[in-house]
C-alpha cells in the first residue's frame, strides 16, 4: 500500500503497523511516510490515492468514526490558531436564513427562520407541501427536522406543521428579508474527494541554555512552536545598561520583567528600551535580574538550529492506512474506557500571537483551563509627577479575580523613573496605571501579564 503525491508513491509494500487508521502518535523517525502514516502537518490528500480495504479513512470519516470539521472551518482554525486536532473533510456554503414573523406587517415575534425567502416561487407536491423549504429554530438556528410548510388552497395561506403533523400557531405569513442572519451552523454539507490531516504543532523543547557564571547566568528555553522563555543577570554597576537577548524575538511587544537587588526598596529600576534583540535598563545599583517571555523570530527555531542535548524531539504522525480490518477491533469496552480516562498531562490547546491587528495582545490557553495572557498597552506622554491609567479587556475570561498580575513599564527617557501598578481586577479585564517621576518622557507603554485559571477551567 502507498500514497500517491504528484504521481509519486510515498511508502509502499504491505503496512504491518499496529496502529489503527486515524491514530495519532509520535516518532523520532524522519521518513516522509512510515508504515502508512504521514506527518500531522495539515497536508491535503486524495481518497483515490490511498489504497485500502472497506475499513478505509473515507468510510471512517463518513460514518463519524473519525473527528472532522469542514475544510473551510479547518483552514480558518489553522490560520487563526496555527493548528487543528481534527481532520478536514467536506465543505459547507454560508446559509442565509430569513425570519418568519407572527405578525409580518409589524415585524413582531420571530417564530422561525426559513432558508427560502419567496415561498410563492417554490414547487409543491401533490399535497401542496412546499419542496426544499426548511425551518430553523429562532435561537439556535438548528434545522427543525420533520417540520414542513403546506399551502392551504381554500384559505389561500401557508400552514406550518411540526414532525408530529400538528399545526403551529402561524398562518398566512411569509419570510421577510429584514433581520436576515447567516447561520453559524453552516449550510448543506458537501463531501469532498480529498481530506486534510490534523495539524498538530508539538510544543517540544528544541533549544535550551542553562545559566552559568560564564554566560552571566543567561538562560533560555525555546520551543518548537516559537515560544521562548529567557532571562539572566546584570552585575556591571549602576546606570543605563544594554543587554543582548540570547534569542531574537519576533517583535518588541514581549513581556519583560525585571527586578533589582537592593537594601533600599525605593531604589527601583527606572526605564526600559526594547527591541527584538536588546533591552536597555536604567539601574540604581549594581545587580538586577531580568526575564523575557514571548514568541521568538522564526529564524530561531528552524530544524537546522535544533539542539538535541538531552531533549526528546518527536514528530507527530497520523495513520492513514494499515493491513488490519474490522475483525481486529478491540471489544473490551472497559479497557477502552480505562485508556481514555488516563491522565495525558497538560498542554497548550489555543494560542494568539501579538500583532498590530489584535493590539499586541496574546494568550496561551492550556487543556486544564490554565491561561497566561498579556498585552503591551500604550499610555502616552506623561510629565513629571503625572499619572495615568488604561482599562484593558482580557482575550480569555478568567474564572475569578484570584489571578497573578505582573506589570512593567517601558519609556525612552533614562533620567526618569516610571512605575506601573494595577487595580480594579475583574474576570474580564484589568485597570493598568503608571506614574512618571523625574521629568518629561515619551511614549510610555506597560507590559502586563495575567496568569491563572480561565473560565473554561470551570467547565
Amino acid at each position: 500500500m502507498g500514497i500517491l503525491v504528484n504521481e509519486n508513491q510515498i511508502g509502499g509494500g504491505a503496512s504491518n503497523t499496529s496502529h489503527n487508521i486515524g491514530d495519532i502518535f509520535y516518532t523520532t523517525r524522519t521518513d516522509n511516510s512510515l508504515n502508512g502514516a504521514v506527518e500531522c502537518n495539515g497536508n491535503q490528500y486524495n481518497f483515490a490515492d490511498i489504497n485500502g480495504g472497506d475499513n478505509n479513512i473515507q468510510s471512517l470519516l463518513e460514518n463519524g468514526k473519525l473527528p472532522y470539521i469542514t475544510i473551510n472551518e479547518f483552514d480558518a482554525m489553522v490560520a487563526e490558531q496555527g493548528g487543528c486536532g481534527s481532520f478536514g473533510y467536506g465543505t459547507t456554503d454560508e446559509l442565509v436564513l430569513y425570519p418568519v414573523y407572527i405578525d409580518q406587517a409589524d415585524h413582531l415575534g420571530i417564530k422561525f427562520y426559513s432558508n427560502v425567502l419567496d415561498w410563492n416561487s417554490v414547487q409543491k407536491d401533490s399535497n401542496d407541501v412546499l419542496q426544499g423549504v426548511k425551518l430553523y429554530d429562532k435561537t439556535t438556528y438548528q434545522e427543525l427536522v420533520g417540520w414542513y410548510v403546506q399551502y392551504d388552497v381554500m384559505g389561500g395561506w401557508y400552514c406550518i406543521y411540526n414532525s408530529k403533523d400538528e399545526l403551529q400557531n402561524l398562518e398566512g405569513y411569509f419570510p421577510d428579508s429584514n433581520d436576515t442572519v447567516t447561520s453559524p451552523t453552516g449550510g448543506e454539507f458537501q463531501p469532498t474527494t480529498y481530506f486534510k490531516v490534523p495539524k498538530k504543532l508539538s510544543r517540544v523543547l528544541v533549544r535550551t541554555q542553562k545559566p552559568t557564571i560564564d554566560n552571566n547566568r543567561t538562560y533560555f528555553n525555546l520551543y518548537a512552536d516559537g515560544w521562548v522563555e529567557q532571562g539572566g543577570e546584570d552585575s556591571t554597576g549602576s546606570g543605563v545598561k544594554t543587554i543582548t537577548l540570547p534569542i531574537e524575538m519576533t517583535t518588541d511587544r514581549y513581556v519583560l520583567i525585571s527586578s533589582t537587588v537592593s537594601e533600599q526598596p525605593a531604589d527601583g529600576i527606572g526605564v526600559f528600551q526594547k527591541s527584538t534583540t536588546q533591552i536597555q535598563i536604567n539601574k540604581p545599583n549594581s545587580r538586577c535580574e531580568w526575564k523575557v517571555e514571548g514568541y521568538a523570530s522564526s529564524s530561531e527555531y528552524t530544524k537546522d538550529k535544533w539542539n538535541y542535548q538531552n531533549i526528546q524531539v518527536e514528530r507527530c504522525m497520523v495513520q492513514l492506512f494499515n493491513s488490519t480490518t474490522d475483525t481486529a477491533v478491540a471489544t473490551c469496552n472497559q479497557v477502552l474506557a480505562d485508556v481514555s480516562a488516563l491522565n495525558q498531562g497538560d498542554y497548550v490547546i489555543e494560542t494568539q500571537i501579538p500583532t498590530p491587528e489584535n493590539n499586541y495582545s496574546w494568550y496561551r490557553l492550556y487543556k486544564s483551563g490554565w491561561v497566561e495572557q498579556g498585552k503591551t498597552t500604550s499610555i502616552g506622554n506623561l510629565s513629571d509627577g503625572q499619572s495615568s491609567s488604561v482599562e484593558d479587556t482580557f482575550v480569555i475570561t478568567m474564572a475569578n479575580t484570584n489571578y497573578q498580575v505582573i506589570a512593567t513599564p517601558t519609556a525612552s527617557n533614562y533620567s526618569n523613573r516610571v512605575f506601573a501598578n494595577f487595580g480594579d481586577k475583574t474576570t474580564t479585564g484589568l485597570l493598568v496605571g503608571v506614574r512618571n517621576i523625574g521629568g518629561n518622557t515619551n511614549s510610555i507603554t506597560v507590559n502586563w501579564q495575567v496568569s491563572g485559571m480561565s473560565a473554561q477551567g470551570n467547565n
Side-chain angles (χ1 to χ4, degrees):
M1 292 181 286
I3 298 176
L4 295 177
V5 179
N6 298 327
E7 299 182 354
N8 295 317
Q9 179 168 313
I10 297 178
S15 172
N16 298 316
T17 178
S18 61
H19 291 290
N20 300 306
I21 295 175
D23 281 355
I24 292 178
F25 61 94
Y26 293 89
T27 180
T28 56
R29 291 280 292 271
T30 60
D31 311 49
N32 288 332
S33 179
L34 184 63
N35 288 328
V38 297
E39 190 166 0
C40 286
N41 54 9
N43 277 357
Q44 179 174 306
Y45 297 93
N46 296 323
F47 290 121
D49 295 335
I50 299 177
N51 301 318
D54 295 334
N55 188 28
N56 56 43
I57 194 167
Q58 184 173 11
S59 65
L60 292 174
L61 288 169
E62 291 175 348
N63 295 327
K65 294 182 179 180
L66 283 177
Y68 70 86
I69 59 177
T70 59
I71 296 292
N72 36 339
E73 292 174 317
F74 182 96
D75 291 340
M77 184 173 293
V78 169
E80 294 173 2
Q81 302 182 14
C84 178
S86 299
F87 287 83
Y89 169 57
T91 60
T92 57
D93 298 325
E94 285 190 344
L95 178 60
V96 178
L97 299 180
Y98 307 97
V100 180
Y101 296 96
I102 295 176
D103 186 340
Q104 185 189 19
D106 295 325
H107 283 187
L108 297 176
I110 295 176
K111 188 74 174 180
F112 308 104
Y113 280 93
S114 173
N115 63 325
V116 177
L117 176 60
D118 185 5
W119 286 356
N120 287 324
S121 64
V122 175
Q123 184 178 357
K124 305 175 184 64
D125 66 9
S126 59
N127 294 318
D128 291 319
V129 174
L130 277 60
Q131 300 298 287
V133 172
K134 297 181 180 180
L135 297 172
Y136 297 82
D137 184 90
K138 66 178 181 180
T139 302
T140 65
Y141 308 115
Q142 295 289 335
E143 181 183 352
L144 299 173
V145 179
W147 294 49
Y148 62 94
V149 181
Q150 186 178 38
Y151 181 67
D152 188 319
V153 179
M154 297 297 294
W157 54 60
Y158 291 96
C159 302
I160 293 177
Y161 294 87
N162 64 20
S163 57
K164 297 180 180 180
D165 285 339
E166 295 176 353
L167 180 64
Q168 303 301 299
N169 184 23
L170 184 74
E171 296 179 352
Y173 302 117
F174 295 84
D176 195 283
S177 59
N178 293 283
D179 298 325
T180 298
V181 300
T182 300
S183 170
T185 59
E188 295 291 335
F189 178 83
Q190 300 295 330
T192 50
T193 59
Y194 60 91
F195 66 97
K196 293 188 176 183
V197 297
K199 184 173 183 180
K200 297 180 73 66
L201 299 177
S202 54
R203 189 178 182 262
V204 294
L205 189 64
V206 295
R207 290 174 62 194
T208 186
Q209 177 176 289
K210 307 301 181 185
T212 66
I213 296 177
D214 296 331
N215 62 25
N216 293 322
R217 303 193 184 280
T218 301
Y219 69 90
F220 63 81
N221 291 318
L222 177 62
Y223 298 87
D225 62 353
W227 181 261
V228 64
E229 306 150 349
Q230 55 181 322
E233 178 182 289
D234 185 281
S235 302
T236 59
S238 61
V240 177
K241 302 296 178 181
T242 299
I243 298 173
T244 300
L245 302 177
I247 299 294
E248 181 181 356
M249 306 298 288
T250 184
T251 73
D252 62 354
R253 303 300 182 100
Y254 47 78
V255 175
L256 172 61
I257 303 168
S258 184
S259 61
T260 182
V261 179
S262 173
E263 295 181 357
Q264 300 296 325
D267 291 337
I269 291 181
V271 202
F272 302 89
Q273 280 278 56
K274 301 192 307 181
S275 72
T276 58
T277 58
Q278 292 181 331
I279 58 175
Q280 291 179 317
I281 300 177
N282 186 14
K283 299 165 50 184
N285 51 32
S286 62
R287 180 183 168 190
C288 78
E289 297 175 356
W290 59 272
K291 180 181 180 181
V292 164
E293 290 184 343
Y295 283 94
S297 168
S298 59
S299 62
E300 292 282 5
Y301 53 98
T302 54
K303 288 188 177 181
D304 61 318
K305 287 191 174 183
W306 286 13
N307 184 342
Y308 291 86
Q309 49 180 257
N310 298 321
I311 300 172
Q312 187 175 11
V313 179
E314 300 175 324
R315 297 169 66 223
C316 187
M317 309 284 287
V318 59
Q319 195 74 39
L320 293 189
F321 55 84
N322 58 27
S323 58
T324 63
T325 65
D326 282 338
T327 59
V329 176
T331 59
C332 182
N333 292 331
Q334 184 58 50
V335 172
L336 296 177
D338 290 343
V339 171
S340 65
L342 289 176
N343 182 6
Q344 301 297 321
D346 206 7
Y347 52 87
V348 176
I349 59 173
E350 289 184 24
T351 62
Q352 176 174 290
I353 298 175
T355 65
E357 290 73 24
N358 59 33
N359 293 321
Y360 297 101
S361 58
W362 61 272
Y363 69 85
R364 296 175 64 79
L365 178 63
Y366 292 77
K367 179 177 70 73
S368 64
W370 181 266
V371 66
E372 303 153 356
Q373 60 180 318
K375 184 181 179 182
T376 299
T377 298
S378 177
I379 301 296
N381 298 332
L382 298 181
S383 59
D384 184 18
Q386 187 178 6
S387 300
S388 184
S389 62
V390 173
E391 188 168 352
D392 273 327
T393 301
F394 298 150
V395 180
I396 302 295
T397 302
M398 305 301 290
N400 50 54
T401 59
N402 298 323
Y403 49 78
Q404 182 186 43
V405 182
I406 299 174
T408 306
T410 302
S412 58
N413 192 322
Y414 298 116
S415 64
N416 289 24
R417 291 184 182 174
V418 179
F419 300 92
N421 57 20
F422 61 89
D424 292 343
K425 292 168 61 177
T426 70
T427 58
T428 59
L430 182 73
L431 186 67
V432 180
V434 295
R435 184 183 180 190
N436 176 46
I437 300 176
N440 294 327
T441 190
N442 296 312
S443 301
I444 295 179
T445 59
V446 172
N447 308 292
W448 60 263
Q449 175 180 330
V450 167
S451 302
M453 291 301 296
S454 67
Q456 286 91 322
N458 289 340
N459 296 336

